[in-house]
Amino acid sequence: MSTVYACFCTDIIHEGHKNLIKKAAEYGEVIAGVLCDREMVRYNRFPTVSIEHRIRMLEDIPEISRVVVQNEIMYDKILAELKPDYVVHGDNWQGGPESAIRANVAINLAKYGGKLIEVPYTYNEEIKKIDDRIRDKLAMPELRRGRLKKLLGIVPIVKTIEVHSGLTGLIAEKTVVEHDGGLDQFDAMWISSLCDSTAKGKPDIELVDMSSRIRTVEDVLDVTTKPIILDADTGGLIEHFVYNVRTLERMGVSAIIVEDKTGLKKNSLFGTEVKQTQDTVEHFCAKLRAGKKVQRTDDFMIIARIESLILEKGMEDALNRAKAYVEAGADAIMIHSRKKDPAEVFAFCDKFRQEFAKVPIVVVPTSYNQVTEGELAEHGVNVVIYANQLTRSAFPAMEGTAKSILANHRAYEADKNLMSIKDIISLIDTL
Ligand code: SPV
Ligand code: MG
């Protein structure tokens, strides 16, 4: 009997999947693949049910004779292993980044003479509703909040991009690329104090207060499902900090990062060019302890950000503070640097890892931007934050358009660089 292989990356079996399975069974014995969590996250969205649940869900379907786990989005290994006579897939992968998977399947089937069967994808209101329901579920505070901790256990490094509005949130949510034989997307969003302030035309000195920052968080929460890490600056007065921890946790924010500075905070990338004061270890630890004490779930993370390297206080100071902050309850450490190369960050991570094998490390490679995610992960980094690149790319693009319209007294010349009206309209989801 011929064998037929179909891979599923879904949390629910709906009518469309059932149609596909029925069609597959016409060609022979059906082997179903379940895409593993790590690849689900890169390719699709975060699973709302466990892999064990997804396996059982397929095992319960009478037409399926066997279920296997597919560990890579591309089919090289699984097809070499199973050598099915047919691969069955919906025909909705012919455009966009998914077409790379289709091409990969074709190449691998050709190696041994297997065939691809494409089943017309079922589009109907019911399926759209199911899809919307999963997305809505992912956006709910209870489900979104804990996802950062879960991601830390699934992906080699949590890739986080700066967002400061609903629109930038959509970019973080929806951008998927095909490269190096796989698909990729961002795992989480960073709401930067620098970019949130800049978007409002204000300096990054805690002038944009928490009420206003929370408004930005809500705009992002409204249109996305990915976890949020909020830049909480110094956290302010301990008496205020505890209230903000409660509010942000309740909203579904996954983590806040508080930096060990005090007084008038200036952006770290100024380094020692401006007057900035580092908090005492005792006072900052008291702030961390107070925050940890008031949070109500195990999901929410308070991450301690160390400014010793920024303020040129030395590696020893950074490491001593890291130890004290972890002991005070910090869920992770962010080490910041404004050096052009990652040497001091690597040195910190290597030493920190000797003492703390499990405490996550967060980095922001803005100035040492040649470093790759792979290199950071090798030194034990768990979260990389691209902290300001969307803002910095948007500003020159907008300024260029403004200059072009002024210079030409019309918008015609600028238009070739612009997104079409049709595309900008379809970018926004409608209910
Ligand atoms: C931010 O993005 O606001 C940060 C990171 O705090 S940095 O600008 O490098 O200080
Ligand atoms: Mg900041």
Side-chain angles (χ1 to χ4, degrees), residues 273-302:
E273 291 156 28
V274 294
K275 189 176 157 25
Q276 308 206 55
T277 317
Q278 200 169 16
D279 203 352
T280 62
V281 174
E282 295 68 30
H283 184 258
F284 195 67
C285 284
K287 190 176 286 184
L288 294 171
R289 272 194 298 271
K292 288 308 291 176
K293 195 168 153 211
V294 296
Q295 77 177 63
R296 282 170 284 203
T297 67
D298 284 339
D299 297 338
F300 188 73
M301 300 174 76
I302 299 181

mmCIF file of all heavy atoms in Angstrom, residues 273-302:
data_model
loop_
_atom_site.group_PDB
_atom_site.id
_atom_site.type_symbol
_atom_site.label_atom_id
_atom_site.label_comp_id
_atom_site.label_asym_id
_atom_site.label_seq_id
_atom_site.Cartn_x
_atom_site.Cartn_y
_atom_site.Cartn_z
ATOM 1 N N GLU A 273 28.728 60.703 29.015
ATOM 2 C CA GLU A 273 28.743 62.069 28.445
ATOM 3 C C GLU A 273 27.777 62.981 29.194
ATOM 4 O O GLU A 273 27.851 64.199 29.088
ATOM 5 C CB GLU A 273 28.332 62.030 26.960
ATOM 6 C CG GLU A 273 29.366 61.371 26.059
ATOM 7 C CD GLU A 273 28.744 60.818 24.780
ATOM 8 O OE1 GLU A 273 27.709 61.344 24.321
ATOM 9 O OE2 GLU A 273 29.297 59.832 24.256
ATOM 10 N N VAL A 274 26.798 62.384 29.874
ATOM 11 C CA VAL A 274 25.858 63.187 30.668
ATOM 12 C C VAL A 274 25.892 62.677 32.101
ATOM 13 O O VAL A 274 26.364 61.567 32.355
ATOM 14 C CB VAL A 274 24.407 63.068 30.120
ATOM 15 C CG1 VAL A 274 24.267 63.685 28.747
ATOM 16 C CG2 VAL A 274 23.950 61.607 30.112
ATOM 17 N N LYS A 275 25.390 63.501 33.020
ATOM 18 C CA LYS A 275 25.410 63.060 34.416
ATOM 19 C C LYS A 275 24.285 62.040 34.653
ATOM 20 O O LYS A 275 23.121 62.322 34.369
ATOM 21 C CB LYS A 275 25.220 64.291 35.327
ATOM 22 C CG LYS A 275 25.443 63.980 36.784
ATOM 23 C CD LYS A 275 25.355 65.228 37.617
ATOM 24 C CE LYS A 275 25.014 64.998 39.078
ATOM 25 N NZ LYS A 275 25.321 63.731 39.667
ATOM 26 N N GLN A 276 24.671 60.873 35.105
ATOM 27 C CA GLN A 276 23.684 59.841 35.411
ATOM 28 C C GLN A 276 24.120 59.174 36.707
ATOM 29 O O GLN A 276 25.303 58.972 36.931
ATOM 30 C CB GLN A 276 23.648 58.753 34.340
ATOM 31 C CG GLN A 276 23.490 59.270 32.943
ATOM 32 C CD GLN A 276 22.828 58.236 32.036
ATOM 33 O OE1 GLN A 276 21.752 57.739 32.322
ATOM 34 N NE2 GLN A 276 23.473 57.913 30.936
ATOM 35 N N THR A 277 23.174 58.848 37.539
ATOM 36 C CA THR A 277 23.520 58.279 38.839
ATOM 37 C C THR A 277 23.014 56.847 38.953
ATOM 38 O O THR A 277 21.828 56.594 38.721
ATOM 39 C CB THR A 277 22.871 59.111 39.985
ATOM 40 O OG1 THR A 277 23.036 60.483 39.657
ATOM 41 C CG2 THR A 277 23.494 58.807 41.319
ATOM 42 N N GLN A 278 23.942 55.966 39.330
ATOM 43 C CA GLN A 278 23.534 54.576 39.536
ATOM 44 C C GLN A 278 22.956 54.442 40.942
ATOM 45 O O GLN A 278 23.440 55.083 41.891
ATOM 46 C CB GLN A 278 24.728 53.633 39.358
ATOM 47 C CG GLN A 278 24.312 52.196 39.076
ATOM 48 C CD GLN A 278 25.479 51.322 38.646
ATOM 49 O OE1 GLN A 278 26.637 51.691 38.838
ATOM 50 N NE2 GLN A 278 25.187 50.173 38.080
ATOM 51 N N ASP A 279 21.921 53.627 41.052
ATOM 52 C CA ASP A 279 21.282 53.414 42.350
ATOM 53 C C ASP A 279 22.233 52.610 43.248
ATOM 54 O O ASP A 279 23.147 51.942 42.753
ATOM 55 C CB ASP A 279 19.978 52.621 42.127
ATOM 56 C CG ASP A 279 18.976 52.808 43.255
ATOM 57 O OD1 ASP A 279 19.330 53.417 44.279
ATOM 58 O OD2 ASP A 279 17.836 52.328 43.101
ATOM 59 N N THR A 280 21.988 52.649 44.555
ATOM 60 C CA THR A 280 22.769 51.774 45.432
ATOM 61 C C THR A 280 22.224 50.359 45.283
ATOM 62 O O THR A 280 21.049 50.163 44.937
ATOM 63 C CB THR A 280 22.630 52.183 46.919
ATOM 64 O OG1 THR A 280 21.256 52.044 47.287
ATOM 65 C CG2 THR A 280 23.083 53.614 47.157
ATOM 66 N N VAL A 281 23.078 49.392 45.577
ATOM 67 C CA VAL A 281 22.647 47.991 45.499
ATOM 68 C C VAL A 281 21.474 47.777 46.463
ATOM 69 O O VAL A 281 20.471 47.152 46.118
ATOM 70 C CB VAL A 281 23.826 47.045 45.836
ATOM 71 C CG1 VAL A 281 23.369 45.600 45.896
ATOM 72 C CG2 VAL A 281 24.939 47.203 44.821
ATOM 73 N N GLU A 282 21.590 48.345 47.664
ATOM 74 C CA GLU A 282 20.567 48.123 48.693
ATOM 75 C C GLU A 282 19.208 48.648 48.250
ATOM 76 O O GLU A 282 18.190 47.973 48.345
ATOM 77 C CB GLU A 282 20.962 48.825 50.020
ATOM 78 C CG GLU A 282 22.201 48.273 50.693
ATOM 79 C CD GLU A 282 23.507 48.555 49.905
ATOM 80 O OE1 GLU A 282 23.569 49.594 49.201
ATOM 81 O OE2 GLU A 282 24.428 47.719 49.981
ATOM 82 N N HIS A 283 19.209 49.877 47.724
ATOM 83 C CA HIS A 283 17.934 50.487 47.353
ATOM 84 C C HIS A 283 17.323 49.775 46.155
ATOM 85 O O HIS A 283 16.115 49.500 46.114
ATOM 86 C CB HIS A 283 18.116 51.990 47.052
ATOM 87 C CG HIS A 283 16.815 52.667 46.757
ATOM 88 N ND1 HIS A 283 16.415 52.976 45.473
ATOM 89 C CD2 HIS A 283 15.809 53.065 47.583
ATOM 90 C CE1 HIS A 283 15.210 53.535 45.515
ATOM 91 N NE2 HIS A 283 14.825 53.610 46.770
ATOM 92 N N PHE A 284 18.171 49.412 45.184
ATOM 93 C CA PHE A 284 17.625 48.748 43.991
ATOM 94 C C PHE A 284 17.084 47.358 44.352
ATOM 95 O O PHE A 284 16.043 46.927 43.839
ATOM 96 C CB PHE A 284 18.689 48.662 42.880
ATOM 97 C CG PHE A 284 18.087 48.321 41.544
ATOM 98 C CD1 PHE A 284 17.242 49.210 40.889
ATOM 99 C CD2 PHE A 284 18.348 47.098 40.948
ATOM 100 C CE1 PHE A 284 16.658 48.886 39.666
ATOM 101 C CE2 PHE A 284 17.776 46.764 39.712
ATOM 102 C CZ PHE A 284 16.933 47.665 39.077
ATOM 103 N N CYS A 285 17.795 46.677 45.240
ATOM 104 C CA CYS A 285 17.310 45.359 45.686
ATOM 105 C C CYS A 285 15.974 45.506 46.409
ATOM 106 O O CYS A 285 15.086 44.659 46.254
ATOM 107 C CB CYS A 285 18.326 44.682 46.603
ATOM 108 S SG CYS A 285 19.730 44.015 45.691
ATOM 109 N N ALA A 286 15.831 46.570 47.172
ATOM 110 C CA ALA A 286 14.555 46.796 47.883
ATOM 111 C C ALA A 286 13.434 46.990 46.865
ATOM 112 O O ALA A 286 12.313 46.498 47.049
ATOM 113 C CB ALA A 286 14.682 48.022 48.796
ATOM 114 N N LYS A 287 13.752 47.686 45.770
ATOM 115 C CA LYS A 287 12.747 47.899 44.720
ATOM 116 C C LYS A 287 12.349 46.561 44.083
ATOM 117 O O LYS A 287 11.171 46.264 43.898
ATOM 118 C CB LYS A 287 13.322 48.853 43.663
ATOM 119 C CG LYS A 287 12.304 49.332 42.663
ATOM 120 C CD LYS A 287 12.883 50.355 41.684
ATOM 121 C CE LYS A 287 13.082 51.717 42.332
ATOM 122 N NZ LYS A 287 13.542 52.731 41.382
ATOM 123 N N LEU A 288 13.359 45.740 43.777
ATOM 124 C CA LEU A 288 13.072 44.434 43.164
ATOM 125 C C LEU A 288 12.224 43.582 44.103
ATOM 126 O O LEU A 288 11.231 42.970 43.690
ATOM 127 C CB LEU A 288 14.379 43.694 42.831
ATOM 128 C CG LEU A 288 15.270 44.317 41.753
ATOM 129 C CD1 LEU A 288 16.616 43.589 41.700
ATOM 130 C CD2 LEU A 288 14.592 44.261 40.382
ATOM 131 N N ARG A 289 12.618 43.567 45.376
ATOM 132 C CA ARG A 289 11.880 42.749 46.353
ATOM 133 C C ARG A 289 10.430 43.216 46.477
ATOM 134 O O ARG A 289 9.505 42.413 46.513
ATOM 135 C CB ARG A 289 12.571 42.798 47.723
ATOM 136 C CG ARG A 289 13.656 41.738 47.886
ATOM 137 C CD ARG A 289 14.075 41.580 49.350
ATOM 138 N NE ARG A 289 14.639 42.825 49.859
ATOM 139 C CZ ARG A 289 15.941 43.143 49.787
ATOM 140 N NH1 ARG A 289 16.800 42.293 49.254
ATOM 141 N NH2 ARG A 289 16.372 44.290 50.255
ATOM 142 N N ALA A 290 10.260 44.537 46.484
ATOM 143 C CA ALA A 290 8.899 45.091 46.622
ATOM 144 C C ALA A 290 8.050 44.696 45.415
ATOM 145 O O ALA A 290 6.885 44.305 45.562
ATOM 146 C CB ALA A 290 8.971 46.617 46.753
ATOM 147 N N GLY A 291 8.634 44.757 44.227
ATOM 148 C CA GLY A 291 7.896 44.392 43.007
ATOM 149 C C GLY A 291 7.522 42.919 43.016
ATOM 150 O O GLY A 291 6.383 42.543 42.717
ATOM 151 N N LYS A 292 8.494 42.068 43.375
ATOM 152 C CA LYS A 292 8.235 40.620 43.366
ATOM 153 C C LYS A 292 7.156 40.262 44.396
ATOM 154 O O LYS A 292 6.379 39.338 44.192
ATOM 155 C CB LYS A 292 9.518 39.825 43.666
ATOM 156 C CG LYS A 292 10.555 39.807 42.561
ATOM 157 C CD LYS A 292 10.019 39.393 41.212
ATOM 158 C CE LYS A 292 9.609 37.940 41.120
ATOM 159 N NZ LYS A 292 9.007 37.632 39.782
ATOM 160 N N LYS A 293 7.143 41.028 45.491
ATOM 161 C CA LYS A 293 6.190 40.714 46.555
ATOM 162 C C LYS A 293 4.744 40.981 46.133
ATOM 163 O O LYS A 293 3.833 40.263 46.532
ATOM 164 C CB LYS A 293 6.550 41.565 47.781
ATOM 165 C CG LYS A 293 5.893 41.110 49.042
ATOM 166 C CD LYS A 293 6.500 41.787 50.248
ATOM 167 C CE LYS A 293 5.475 41.849 51.366
ATOM 168 N NZ LYS A 293 5.645 43.012 52.201
ATOM 169 N N VAL A 294 4.533 41.993 45.289
ATOM 170 C CA VAL A 294 3.137 42.342 44.967
ATOM 171 C C VAL A 294 2.592 41.625 43.738
ATOM 172 O O VAL A 294 1.386 41.610 43.523
ATOM 173 C CB VAL A 294 2.946 43.869 44.781
ATOM 174 C CG1 VAL A 294 3.228 44.601 46.071
ATOM 175 C CG2 VAL A 294 3.786 44.406 43.625
ATOM 176 N N GLN A 295 3.432 41.038 42.923
ATOM 177 C CA GLN A 295 2.894 40.397 41.712
ATOM 178 C C GLN A 295 2.078 39.175 42.111
ATOM 179 O O GLN A 295 2.343 38.555 43.143
ATOM 180 C CB GLN A 295 4.007 40.049 40.724
ATOM 181 C CG GLN A 295 4.820 38.834 41.071
ATOM 182 C CD GLN A 295 5.849 38.514 39.989
ATOM 183 O OE1 GLN A 295 6.749 39.312 39.738
ATOM 184 N NE2 GLN A 295 5.709 37.350 39.373
ATOM 185 N N ARG A 296 1.038 38.887 41.303
ATOM 186 C CA ARG A 296 0.105 37.849 41.727
ATOM 187 C C ARG A 296 0.224 36.525 40.987
ATOM 188 O O ARG A 296 -0.392 35.552 41.360
ATOM 189 C CB ARG A 296 -1.318 38.376 41.616
ATOM 190 C CG ARG A 296 -1.667 39.285 42.777
ATOM 191 C CD ARG A 296 -2.955 39.988 42.552
ATOM 192 N NE ARG A 296 -2.787 41.086 41.602
ATOM 193 C CZ ARG A 296 -3.583 42.128 41.519
ATOM 194 N NH1 ARG A 296 -4.609 42.220 42.313
ATOM 195 N NH2 ARG A 296 -3.376 43.088 40.658
ATOM 196 N N THR A 297 0.976 36.518 39.903
ATOM 197 C CA THR A 297 1.109 35.246 39.166
ATOM 198 C C THR A 297 2.588 34.851 39.123
ATOM 199 O O THR A 297 3.465 35.679 39.379
ATOM 200 C CB THR A 297 0.638 35.410 37.703
ATOM 201 O OG1 THR A 297 1.558 36.286 37.022
ATOM 202 C CG2 THR A 297 -0.768 35.968 37.624
ATOM 203 N N ASP A 298 2.825 33.596 38.739
ATOM 204 C CA ASP A 298 4.219 33.169 38.555
ATOM 205 C C ASP A 298 4.737 33.551 37.176
ATOM 206 O O ASP A 298 5.919 33.414 36.877
ATOM 207 C CB ASP A 298 4.336 31.643 38.707
ATOM 208 C CG ASP A 298 4.271 31.230 40.151
ATOM 209 O OD1 ASP A 298 4.540 32.086 41.012
ATOM 210 O OD2 ASP A 298 3.928 30.060 40.421
ATOM 211 N N ASP A 299 3.807 33.986 36.312
ATOM 212 C CA ASP A 299 4.167 34.268 34.923
ATOM 213 C C ASP A 299 5.004 35.524 34.758
ATOM 214 O O ASP A 299 5.882 35.612 33.907
ATOM 215 C CB ASP A 299 2.888 34.494 34.088
ATOM 216 C CG ASP A 299 2.006 33.277 34.032
ATOM 217 O OD1 ASP A 299 2.533 32.173 34.252
ATOM 218 O OD2 ASP A 299 0.810 33.441 33.767
ATOM 219 N N PHE A 300 4.666 36.542 35.547
ATOM 220 C CA PHE A 300 5.219 37.881 35.333
ATOM 221 C C PHE A 300 6.685 37.938 35.761
ATOM 222 O O PHE A 300 7.056 37.417 36.802
ATOM 223 C CB PHE A 300 4.395 38.873 36.158
ATOM 224 C CG PHE A 300 4.719 40.313 35.902
ATOM 225 C CD1 PHE A 300 4.323 40.923 34.725
ATOM 226 C CD2 PHE A 300 5.406 41.068 36.845
ATOM 227 C CE1 PHE A 300 4.598 42.259 34.485
ATOM 228 C CE2 PHE A 300 5.695 42.408 36.618
ATOM 229 C CZ PHE A 300 5.291 42.990 35.437
ATOM 230 N N MET A 301 7.498 38.578 34.920
ATOM 231 C CA MET A 301 8.934 38.635 35.219
ATOM 232 C C MET A 301 9.390 40.075 35.494
ATOM 233 O O MET A 301 9.001 40.999 34.764
ATOM 234 C CB MET A 301 9.742 38.074 34.036
ATOM 235 C CG MET A 301 9.425 36.628 33.709
ATOM 236 S SD MET A 301 10.269 36.086 32.213
ATOM 237 C CE MET A 301 11.947 35.847 32.804
ATOM 238 N N ILE A 302 10.198 40.221 36.505
ATOM 239 C CA ILE A 302 10.840 41.520 36.752
ATOM 240 C C ILE A 302 12.330 41.324 36.462
ATOM 241 O O ILE A 302 13.002 40.497 37.102
ATOM 242 C CB ILE A 302 10.597 42.020 38.190
ATOM 243 C CG1 ILE A 302 9.088 42.209 38.414
ATOM 244 C CG2 ILE A 302 11.361 43.321 38.442
ATOM 245 C CD1 ILE A 302 8.700 42.730 39.791
#
